[in-house]
Amino acid sequence: MSNAVIQPTLPPSWANPLAEATRASSFQSLMQFVAEERNLHVVFPPEDHVFRALELTPLSNVRVVVLGQDPYHGDGQAHGLSFSVPPGIKIPPSLRNIFKELYDDIGIPPASHGCLESWARQGVLLLNAVLTVRAHQANSHRNKGWESFTDAVLRTVDEGPRSLVFVLWGAHAQKKKALIDASRHLVLEAPHPSPLSAHQGFFGSRPFSRINEHLSQHGSEVIRWALPDS
């Protein structure tokens, strides 16, 4: 294995705050692991989309964080944003339930596509805890080092000057609550929107109106949740 330090191409606003995290030996081992996985298997998302969430939402723009688990593992689904799929890809069940809650909460009808890039461009950091996955093998890159990196992302966001909203859906995401200063930020917790758990309290949790209420109270522009036509 090479001893050369691997420097990922992070967007400019994130590169310096995350420099220590990317120099860590655990991150270097992770980059070697992902490179070897790509040599042997199909890995999602494509290499140029691994840090897409950070690209679309510069650090200074972050107002909301929606934490997912690992990328979708089906063909063509993952493009670097939690819960989102590219235009033209069938909307996954969890995202369908998110759209249902969006309608029940603030009356926005479900979109015809599942691409959430417009949310990201408004300051919604759609971050997965793990940023890569082997095709058709859910959680196959869990506990390989991504968690330490995305923890560093969360700590960096938490330490910023604004009062933000952190959305933690499901037990896996809620383990990250310890990284967040809940005295400064609004933390919204609910069951995961998966069909397995959405009826256990995700439906009716009204996250979208609560997010916008918090942003408005803290002098920040609200999120326009309606997605543009693809």
Side-chain angles (χ1 to χ4, degrees):
M1 186 177 290
S2 170
N3 291 322
V5 174
I6 301 171
Q7 284 298 105
T9 306
L10 295 182
S13 74
W14 294 95
N16 284 339
L18 296 175
E20 183 176 348
T22 59
R23 286 195 298 263
S25 60
S26 60
F27 187 84
Q28 295 297 306
S29 298
L30 167 68
M31 291 294 96
Q32 293 280 5
F33 166 77
V34 173
E36 292 165 5
E37 282 282 284
R38 289 194 187 276
N39 284 335
L40 296 171
H41 308 280
V42 175
V43 172
F44 298 138
E47 194 165 5
D48 61 348
H49 277 62
V50 171
F51 300 108
R52 185 69 170 153
L54 304 182
E55 292 169 6
L56 291 181
T57 313
L59 177 56
S60 61
N61 287 8
V62 176
R63 297 185 285 148
V64 181
V65 179
V66 177
L67 187 65
Q69 296 182 16
D70 70 333
Y72 294 122
H73 56 85
D75 294 334
Q77 292 181 304
H79 68 144
L81 306 176
S82 62
F83 297 103
S84 179
V85 292
I89 298 297
K90 183 179 179 181
I91 300 173
S94 291
L95 185 53
R96 286 197 178 280
N97 285 338
I98 290 170
F99 286 167
K100 182 180 186 302
E101 179 62 17
L102 178 62
Y103 177 73
D104 291 344
D105 186 1
I106 55 178
I108 293 176
S112 61
H113 64 90
C115 182
L116 306 181
E117 286 190 0
S118 73
W119 293 2
R121 294 182 191 279
Q122 295 178 70
V124 181
L125 181 62
L126 297 166
L127 182 71
N128 280 317
V130 174
L131 299 188
T132 56
V133 67
R134 190 186 297 181
H136 315 302
Q137 296 187 36
N139 300 317
S140 49
H141 288 186
R142 183 176 287 183
N143 297 326
K144 302 297 184 181
W146 277 125
E147 292 87 349
S148 295
F149 173 77
T150 53
D151 282 359
V153 174
L154 290 173
R155 280 193 292 267
T156 298
V157 172
D158 172 78
E159 292 166 0
R162 291 194 288 195
S163 179
L164 311 178
V165 185
F166 289 81
V167 181
L168 308 179
W169 288 330
H172 188 80
Q174 287 159 14
K175 291 178 182 177
K176 305 290 192 183
K177 187 176 181 180
L179 301 171
I180 303 163
D181 183 353
S183 70
R184 295 183 56 234
H185 306 295
L186 175 64
V187 180
L188 299 181
E189 298 180 81
H192 195 275
S194 159
L196 298 173
S197 54
H199 289 279
Q200 297 170 11
F202 172 76
F203 291 136
S205 60
R206 302 182 65 85
F208 305 99
S209 59
R210 293 169 71 189
I211 289 168
N212 278 353
E213 180 181 14
H214 182 85
L215 294 178
S216 181
Q217 288 175 347
H218 288 81
S220 187
E221 188 176 347
V222 300
I223 305 297
R224 301 181 302 281
W225 295 110
L227 298 177
D229 293 336
S230 61

